[in-house]
Amino acid sequence: MKVTIFSSNQPRHLNLAKLFSKISNEVFFVSEVSTVFPGQVDDFFKKSKVMQSYFQNVINSEKNIFGDIGFLANNIRTLSIKSGDINRLDKSQLADALNSEVYVVFGADYIKGWLIDFLVEKRAINIHMGISPYYRGSSCNFWALNDNNPGYVGATIHYLSKGLDSGDMLFHCLPKLNPKDNPFDFTMRSVLIAQQGLVSAVDDKSIFSLPSIKQDKSHEVRYSRNEDFNDEVAKDFLERDLKLNSKRFVYPKLINAIYG
């Protein structure tokens, strides 16, 4: 089996390629590169003391769960591009990656043009870090916690569509709260559960027979944008020092939920 992944270059993104490499003959990994020192370097998120403090927590949790950045397995073929360049690529540049049985998008930029048409036709699968249709857009699990909705932290496995996070849903993945979890560990483990759930479904081929369910946008709680997450919001979140208690979790209506 051949798998093509459109993703990024943080440890959590590399982990998805590693997991698929264990069940695939060949993985084509299109990696959109951004800094691995968010908050310390001006990039997708701006450089500031607040962002450095916030993202140090993210980095610590990510390393704890996924390990550090590093080289990938021999059966993973990587094409590294600058973040934002994905929609400038032509078919000849991606030719080797366009003959796979499975296509996955996770943490890539918004895909447009000929590539989104191709991926939708191939029934590509998107890992949305957030529980759709309730939380859509950017940094959804942060906003769920910030809104005091920890039961809405998780991921949605759905078909890729031309609309952002709006494709038909296959299943949801949610982390169980560990006693020692801080908010960053809790949300980061939701990534691992999503990856494991998807890879397992591809491996046993159940992904190909699961019924899909359309999203009802009338249930939307928040649609967040990149610019909504700023120094003021991050500072307030850090100062609140949230303590999670699973007994207080209220869960929305879920699709074929996987807990882990």
Side-chain angles (χ1 to χ4, degrees):
M1 177 174 64
K2 294 182 180 181
V3 176
T4 294
I5 301 171
F6 294 87
S7 191
S8 189
N9 64 313
Q10 308 298 325
R12 62 188 182 275
H13 304 112
L14 303 183
N15 189 70
L16 181 63
K18 292 175 184 177
L19 290 178
F20 268 112
S21 74
K22 295 177 182 179
I23 67 166
S24 308
N25 298 321
E26 198 167 23
V27 174
F28 298 92
F29 185 54
V30 182
S31 175
E32 295 186 87
V33 177
S34 60
T35 182
V36 293
F37 303 104
Q40 302 177 45
V41 176
D42 270 322
D43 202 337
F44 187 81
F45 297 102
K46 75 172 187 177
K47 176 182 177 180
S48 72
K49 289 184 179 179
V50 172
M51 288 298 177
Q52 185 171 343
S53 177
Y54 178 88
F55 280 105
Q56 190 58 57
N57 285 283
V58 174
I59 290 169
N60 291 343
S61 291
E62 188 170 26
K63 285 185 177 180
N64 181 48
I65 293 168
F66 296 107
D68 209 339
I69 57 173
F71 296 103
L72 299 174
N74 291 335
N75 65 333
I76 302 174
R77 296 178 59 187
T78 302
L79 176 65
S80 297
I81 61 173
K82 187 179 185 300
S83 180
D85 282 355
I86 192 167
N87 293 312
R88 297 179 181 272
L89 299 177
D90 60 38
K91 291 182 180 179
S92 64
Q93 293 166 321
L94 286 174
D96 289 351
L98 302 180
N99 293 291
S100 294
E101 288 81 18
V102 177
Y103 296 84
V104 177
V105 178
F106 169 54
D109 279 336
Y110 185 58
I111 300 174
K112 301 181 289 185
W114 73 267
L115 185 53
I116 189 64
D117 291 336
F118 174 86
L119 292 174
V120 169
E121 181 182 353
K122 293 294 184 179
R123 296 174 70 78
I125 298 165
N126 185 57
I127 301 177
H128 166 57
M129 293 314 306
I131 300 296
S132 290
Y134 309 99
Y135 280 84
R136 298 171 55 241
S138 176
S139 304
C140 290
N141 285 332
F142 164 82
W143 287 108
L145 281 186
N146 199 60
D147 292 342
N148 293 313
N149 283 330
Y152 287 68
V153 168
T156 308
I157 308 300
H158 66 89
Y159 286 118
L160 189 67
S161 66
K162 292 186 178 182
L164 185 63
D165 306 330
S166 59
D168 293 356
M169 302 178 295
L170 295 165
F171 56 92
H172 288 120
C173 302
L174 294 93
K176 293 179 180 177
L177 182 64
N178 288 341
K180 295 182 179 180
D181 271 352
N182 62 43
F184 296 92
D185 297 329
F186 180 59
T187 55
M188 191 61 69
R189 281 196 305 101
S190 69
V191 181
L192 179 61
I193 301 308
Q195 293 181 357
Q196 291 174 336
L198 175 58
V199 172
S200 177
V202 171
D203 190 29
D204 66 17
K205 297 181 171 51
S206 62
I207 194 75
F208 304 110
S209 58
L210 279 174
S212 59
I213 298 175
K214 291 189 179 299
Q215 298 196 36
D216 183 351
K217 293 182 181 179
S218 69
H219 294 304
E220 185 174 288
V221 176
R222 181 189 287 270
Y223 185 96
S224 48
R225 294 170 174 79
N226 296 335
E227 57 267 26
D228 296 336
F229 183 74
N230 53 36
D231 275 12
E232 182 180 356
V233 169
K235 183 174 183 291
D236 178 69
F237 183 83
L238 291 171
E239 290 177 347
R240 286 165 61 190
D241 191 22
L242 296 176
K243 307 299 182 185
L244 302 177
N245 184 344
S246 61
K247 293 181 180 179
R248 298 179 181 175
F249 284 19
V250 176
Y251 293 100
K253 183 179 180 181
L254 301 167
I255 307 299
N256 299 319
I258 295 174
Y259 296 86

